[in-house]
Amino acid sequence: MTPSSAGALTISDGRLALSALLILVNVGLSAALRLGLSRSLLVASVRMVVQLLLVGFVLEWLFHQDQAPLIVLVGAAMALIAGVSAVQRTRQRFAGIYLNSLLSVMASSALVTGLAVTGLIQPQPWYKPQYLIPLLGMVLGNTLNGLSLGLDRFMEGLRSGRDQVETDLALGATRWEACRAVVRDAIRVAMIPTINSMMVMGLVSLPGMMTGQILQGAAPAAAVRYQIVILFMIASATALGVFAVVGLAYGRLTSADHQLRLDRLVKVGGQAEWRPAGAFLSWRRRGRSQEKTRMKSIDKR
């Protein structure tokens, strides 16, 4: 390893390749216990390496750009991927779930990151990519996990607690009164990973950005300040995003007539991988097909 111009040690290509041997521990455990994860681990490792190397080249080019529209466009693309990925991790879907997820993740991440960049960190200019893109990436990565957990818990809670919810509605409760416990539980579950991470931060783990800054030669006290701001950003964006996406799902799976509309839910097999080109379009086509079938059934009656 040799020191880079910024002060950090540079990992050579050979040592980087040697680090891949560490994944053999996972593969060995999977093979010994017959977990069936060996292929998935290898595929995930290859994808991770390729994606990160490509991102490294893109970011190196992007950090030399000084065009606000380009930086904002890259941020919007990141949010788009996060919104779609959040839905792909759920086990149930309904028409409009992708749009709900996209709106929630974009609104929460843009609001929180915008306030932090312009009001707290204040780089010049405000869209300086060395600050905006990494901060937005960390916020999006944590927010999409929260959205996925919240959505999945809410839909599963409505399905498993259907009898209780419909009983409350039949006895005169409003849709909010009947679903309030499910909404609260979904938001609580989605926030638990963030809260747990904050509880042990610095005692059990050193966060990635703080470690990176220290490796680059920054004073630990300065790195800690950045990390505190980032953790508050993540907690805020996650809370706002989960609240929005669960609220939108609640509006979709109940009606203004205070009825539970679980007929709008469709179960999917497992947690599908995201196919960038076809995921959204295939879901839209499936939704239209189901709607046509439903309408034909009503006409026959």
Side-chain angles (χ1 to χ4, degrees):
M1 294 187 183
T2 57
S4 68
S5 57
L9 295 174
T10 300
I11 300 176
S12 65
D13 293 341
R15 293 178 184 268
L16 183 62
L18 284 174
S19 69
L21 297 177
L22 296 174
I23 201 65
L24 294 180
V25 174
N26 304 62
V27 175
L29 285 173
S30 177
L33 300 176
R34 299 182 180 178
L35 301 178
L37 297 176
S38 299
R39 184 176 180 277
S40 298
L41 284 167
L42 292 174
V43 171
S45 299
V46 173
R47 284 187 57 173
M48 177 271 294
V49 171
V50 172
Q51 288 168 184
L52 285 179
L53 289 176
L54 288 176
V55 166
F57 288 121
V58 171
L59 288 179
E60 188 170 352
W61 169 80
L62 188 63
F63 285 178
H64 290 87
Q65 306 304 308
D66 191 26
Q67 303 175 38
L70 176 62
I71 308 303
V72 172
L73 182 62
V74 171
M78 293 167 61
L80 174 65
I81 295 172
V84 174
S85 298
V87 175
Q88 289 299 309
R89 298 182 184 186
T90 61
R91 293 169 291 182
Q92 301 176 81
R93 313 277 167 79
F94 56 85
I97 190 172
Y98 282 100
L99 181 59
N100 291 355
S101 179
L102 290 173
L103 290 176
S104 299
V105 75
M106 283 185 171
S108 60
S109 60
L111 176 63
V112 171
T113 305
L115 289 175
V117 169
T118 58
L120 299 175
I121 301 175
Q122 298 181 343
Q124 296 298 328
W126 65 267
Y127 55 85
K128 195 170 184 179
Q130 288 92 330
Y131 291 89
L132 184 61
I133 298 301
L135 291 175
L136 179 61
M138 283 183 281
V139 168
L140 287 173
N142 288 271
T143 301
L144 82 86
N145 287 331
L147 262 65
S148 180
L149 285 172
L151 270 175
D152 207 44
R153 184 68 171 224
F154 177 68
M155 292 185 289
E156 188 59 37
L158 284 183
R159 188 179 287 278
S160 62
R162 178 175 188 168
D163 291 343
Q164 181 63 53
V165 172
E166 291 187 332
T167 298
D168 291 342
L169 292 172
L171 292 175
T174 64
R175 58 176 176 169
W176 169 245
E177 290 171 339
C179 298
R180 178 169 49 196
V182 181
V183 171
R184 286 176 173 173
D185 182 59
I187 296 176
R188 182 187 63 82
V189 167
M191 289 300 300
I192 284 176
T194 301
I195 296 172
N196 287 345
S197 177
M198 294 174 70
M199 291 286 286
V200 299
M201 194 66 67
L203 298 176
V204 176
S205 64
L206 289 179
M209 183 171 183
M210 177 178 164
T211 303
Q213 285 188 306
I214 292 174
L215 289 175
Q216 286 290 324
V224 165
R225 290 174 181 268
Y226 268 94
Q227 192 60 55
I228 290 172
V229 171
I230 290 165
L231 288 173
F232 285 149
M233 289 171 63
I234 289 172
S236 178
T238 302
L240 289 173
V242 171
F243 178 80
V245 81
V246 172
L248 290 170
Y250 157 79
R252 182 63 181 167
L253 298 177
T254 60
S255 70
D257 296 328
H258 305 287
Q259 296 176 330
L260 188 61
R261 297 299 308 271
L262 290 186
D263 57 298
R264 294 173 175 170
L265 271 184
V266 178
K267 215 160 191 176
V268 294
Q271 297 183 2
E273 251 183 281
W274 175 45
R275 296 186 295 270
F280 181 74
L281 293 177
S282 64
W283 172 249
R284 291 284 295 177
R285 285 194 294 269
R286 196 181 314 126
R288 291 195 190 102
S289 175
Q290 291 168 350
E291 186 64 26
K292 288 179 181 178
T293 303
R294 192 179 301 118
M295 293 304 294
K296 287 179 181 178
S297 176
I298 292 174
D299 290 341
K300 287 180 181 179
R301 294 175 192 170

